[in-house]
Amino acid sequence: PTMQAVVLGGTGAVGKALVHELDKSEKWQRIVLFLRRPFPEPVSQKVHQVIIPDLVESFNDTHSEHFQGIHATFNCMGTTIKAAGSQAAMYKTDHDVPVTAARLSHAAGVPHYLHVSSGGANASSSFFYMRLKGETERDIAATGIERVSIFQPSLLLTDREHKRTGEQIAAKVMTGLDWLIKRISPRTRAIRVEAVAKAMRVVAEEDAASHTTGTV
């Protein structure tokens, strides 16, 4: 095992699944997690936790040393306006931290940045959420990183405890109509967080030598 990774957003649904994916893979020897609180589940000694309680406010160049020798940076940061408290606060979490991580990655020579965005992301959208996701994709690519892989899942299926009621209902509807959605618009299908995490790991492992920018 020779590969090393940085993961942001490791306590979220996709991030948590990704940490376990990387941890159980023999291809990764070191996994650095930037977290606001300790990782809530058992992990091996390969996982190194950098705890920064005020991560959103203080994530900057002072943390650049952690990107040295890294082969891939994975970003799974994401919140909601309700959790963040305002659009401005959500923007800091969903845009500023990922873009800063991309900039630090580029400066340290990290060749690959893998980012979880959203289906429908569009920097020109009139809808705040889609515009936020689109601007983040755009600004990550603008940092000059050699390879960027963007994952655009639509509705994420998860067993997390604090699932919002509306999201839970939507998940059941999307799952029930999955056969129809698959025929009409494959990109809008509901997908489990574990599948997204596995895809991120596989892309990082198999396409490390690629020099293309892709959207998944």
Side-chain angles (χ1 to χ4, degrees):
T2 58
M3 298 180 73
Q4 301 185 51
V6 160
V7 177
L8 293 102
T11 56
V14 174
K16 192 183 299 181
L18 175 63
V19 170
H20 289 303
E21 278 285 332
L22 298 175
D23 194 19
K24 70 184 182 183
S25 172
E26 296 181 353
K27 295 184 179 181
W28 301 89
Q29 69 173 9
R30 185 165 179 266
I31 304 153
V32 179
L33 308 185
F34 282 100
L35 304 164
R36 284 174 284 195
R37 56 187 182 277
F39 193 75
E41 298 171 0
V43 287
S44 75
Q45 294 183 351
K46 295 194 300 183
V47 179
H48 300 263
Q49 303 186 43
V50 181
I51 309 299
I52 310 173
D54 58 342
L55 176 65
V56 174
E57 298 294 335
S58 64
F59 187 66
N60 52 42
D61 291 9
T62 61
H63 303 106
S64 60
E65 63 183 279
H66 297 290
F67 289 85
Q68 297 298 322
I70 296 299
H71 297 83
T73 296
F74 298 85
N75 176 64
C76 304
M77 291 286 289
T79 186
T80 62
I81 292 179
K82 181 178 180 180
S86 67
Q87 289 187 353
M90 183 178 179
Y91 199 89
K92 287 183 178 180
T93 299
D94 284 37
H95 174 277
D96 294 353
V97 174
V99 173
T100 296
R103 182 172 55 78
L104 294 178
S105 296
H106 177 56
V110 180
H112 198 178
Y113 190 98
L114 300 96
H115 172 70
V116 179
S117 183
S118 173
N122 183 348
S124 300
S125 176
S126 58
F127 295 98
F128 171 74
Y129 182 79
M130 295 307 180
R131 184 171 67 253
L132 163 61
K133 295 300 182 181
E135 290 179 356
T136 304
E137 291 182 9
R138 178 199 65 198
D139 295 343
I140 286 172
T143 62
I145 280 192
E146 184 179 350
R147 296 189 299 278
V148 177
S149 296
I150 296 174
F151 298 77
Q152 296 181 328
S154 50
L155 182 66
L156 290 168
L157 300 178
T158 175
D159 297 324
R160 69 188 179 199
E161 296 178 0
H162 301 294
K163 185 182 295 182
R164 290 171 295 164
T165 303
E167 185 180 37
Q168 192 169 22
I169 293 172
K172 290 181 179 179
V173 172
M174 290 284 279
T175 302
L177 297 178
D178 195 57
W179 63 273
L180 178 59
I181 293 170
K182 182 177 180 180
R183 287 170 173 264
I184 299 174
S185 180
R187 292 182 66 82
T188 62
R189 294 182 66 198
I191 184 171
R192 290 200 62 83
V193 293
E194 293 84 1
V196 176
K198 182 176 181 179
M200 296 180 78
R201 175 184 62 77
V202 170
V203 168
E205 292 175 353
E206 296 186 352
D207 298 347
S210 172
H211 291 276
T212 60
T213 298
T215 298
V216 179

